Amino acid sequence: MTEQNAAPQNGAEQQKKTVFSGVQPSGKLTLGNYLGALRNWPAMQEENRCIFSVVNLHSITVRQDPAALRRQTLEVLAQYIACGIDPEKSLLFIQSHVPAHAELAWVLNCYTMFGELSRMTQFKDKSQRYADNINAGLFTYPVLMASDILLYQTDLVPVGQDQKQHVEIARDIAQRFNGVYGPVFAIPEPLIQGPGAKIASLAEPTKKMSKSDQNQNAFVLLMDKPEDIMRKFKRAVTDSGSQVVRGEGKDGVNNLIAIYSAAAGCSPEQTEAEFAGKGYGEFKQAVGEAVVEVLRPVREQTERLLADKAYLEQVYAEGARQAARAAERTLEKVYKKVGFVKKPF
């Protein structure tokens, strides 16, 4: 990795936008994660200063099995690289290795209003799903996310429409802090992902595909074997019709068309033309095969990387060092503004 990833440089480097994105290792990554986000990230690193983190601090708002969390953290790191993120071009690290994330989150907690947090959709949803563990971390989760973003003077945050609210509260917090102390933080903008960004559940196509779904047939994982992928698509919900065309009330078919188009690299109109006169059974077979092929290199490369623990450690150790240097610059500025005595080391 080169130092240019960690901090703004002179000349052309200063013209690049800083992009921050993170993925939780609390579960396996899905086809929706890949088509909606991960697959787009390698192209971004060619034009921007990209920072990608495995955000494991966020994971523990819900109880985790420690061994599984450690294993999945390395798996997500490997999948980042397998999807095309180059540690020589992008900053890639594990969130808990950079203490400034938690330190800034505490300060920003004191500049975030209770009412703002109580309106967050994710808190409402998770409070219902985990009614026996409605902890303070679950409530202040958006402040830690704001800290992740603001530490690196981020310009753009790639998100789906359902995550836009988190960027909006980060903007509100940054503007409030800047209003008191002057221009400390860059104000981030959401970068809404394009076609294929929202992949729905195969079992309940009115809902987003989620790795936390209790129905194992509802989602496809990046590490699923080809035979499992084919089985899930054969069981995918469609409707009572027979034509492979999009339409109101055809959520299942609409979803499969979106998946095939994204996996095969064609437009929905081209997909409809290709399967004109063909039935759902043949179409679902084709969707499954397209997904198998688009995920095959990711799965195989991930397996190779996970077998090379020394390389993964080298990547996350160097990433943490560079991320810490960049984050510390922002944190020092914040600490000075709020009146903390300068750190002696």
Side-chain angles (χ1 to χ4, degrees), residues 20-27 53-64 69 73 80 93-97 101-102 105 122 126 130 133 135-151 163 166 169 211:
F20 180 91
S21 191
V23 171
Q24 286 194 53
S26 53
S53 180
V54 185
V55 288
N56 56 338
L57 291 177
H58 289 287
S59 298
I60 62 171
T61 58
V62 176
R63 296 289 176 260
Q64 302 292 330
L69 183 59
T73 297
Y80 271 144
F93 69 99
I94 297 170
Q95 182 190 32
S96 62
H97 291 171
H101 286 254
Q122 192 167 54
K126 286 197 172 183
Y130 304 102
N133 183 29
N135 56 72
L138 192 62
F139 187 67
T140 61
Y141 175 104
V143 184
L144 178 57
M145 187 175 287
S147 172
D148 300 335
I149 296 166
L150 300 178
L151 266 177
Q163 287 287 318
H166 287 101
I169 195 171
K211 58 193 173 186

Side-chain angles (χ1 to χ4, degrees), residues 18-20 148-150 152-157 186-189:
T18 297
V19 177
F20 180 91
D148 300 335
I149 296 166
L150 300 178
Y152 302 98
Q153 305 298 338
T154 298
D155 299 300
L156 300 170
V157 185
I187 307 300
E189 295 282 350

Side-chain angles (χ1 to χ4, degrees), residues 233 256-257 259-260 263 282-292:
F233 276 105
L256 293 177
I257 289 174
I259 292 172
Y260 182 83
E282 186 174 353
F283 179 50
K284 289 197 281 189
Q285 175 78 18
V287 179
E289 290 171 353
V291 170
V292 166

Side-chain angles (χ1 to χ4, degrees), residues 123-324:
F123 174 69
K124 295 176 183 177
D125 292 345
K126 286 197 172 183
S127 295
Q128 293 176 344
R129 286 166 51 196
Y130 304 102
D132 60 340
N133 183 29
I134 306 175
N135 56 72
L138 192 62
F139 187 67
T140 61
Y141 175 104
V143 184
L144 178 57
M145 187 175 287
S147 172
D148 300 335
I149 296 166
L150 300 178
L151 266 177
Y152 302 98
Q153 305 298 338
T154 298
D155 299 300
L156 300 170
V157 185
V159 290
Q161 191 65 41
D162 60 325
Q163 287 287 318
K164 187 179 176 183
Q165 190 182 34
H166 287 101
V167 182
E168 290 171 348
I169 195 171
R171 287 170 54 84
D172 291 342
I173 295 168
Q175 289 167 340
R176 182 175 298 124
F177 195 92
N178 288 356
V180 176
Y181 298 109
V184 176
F185 296 118
I187 307 300
E189 295 282 350
L191 179 62
I192 305 299
Q193 302 295 280
K198 188 174 182 181
I199 301 300
S201 162
L202 299 183
E204 295 182 79
T206 57
K207 298 180 179 179
K208 182 180 176 181
M209 182 178 286
S210 172
K211 58 193 173 186
S212 61
D213 200 308
Q214 296 300 307
N215 184 349
Q216 298 295 303
N217 291 313
F219 54 84
V220 172
L221 301 174
L222 297 196
M223 301 303 287
D224 274 350
K225 296 178 181 178
E227 57 269 27
D228 293 328
I229 294 173
M230 295 303 300
R231 173 179 51 78
K232 290 178 180 182
F233 276 105
K234 286 177 181 178
R235 295 179 179 180
V237 169
T238 50
D239 55 56
S240 58
S242 60
Q243 293 183 310
V244 181
V245 293
R246 291 164 295 164
E248 188 174 347
K250 293 168 65 72
D251 298 302
V253 173
N254 294 343
N255 186 43
L256 293 177
I257 289 174
I259 292 172
Y260 182 83
S261 301
C266 59
S267 69
E269 291 79 11
Q270 289 171 319
T271 298
E272 290 174 334
E274 180 180 349
F275 291 94
K278 298 178 182 178
Y280 288 164
E282 186 174 353
F283 179 50
K284 289 197 281 189
Q285 175 78 18
V287 179
E289 290 171 353
V291 170
V292 166
E293 291 311 310
V294 82
L295 293 185
R296 187 188 303 279
V298 176
R299 186 186 72 252
E300 292 175 351
Q301 177 68 349
T302 298
E303 290 171 347
R304 285 192 289 269
L305 288 165
L306 288 172
D308 190 351
K309 293 294 195 296
Y311 172 71
L312 289 179
E313 183 175 353
Q314 175 188 336
V315 168
Y316 69 66
E318 178 61 19
R321 281 191 286 271
Q322 293 194 37

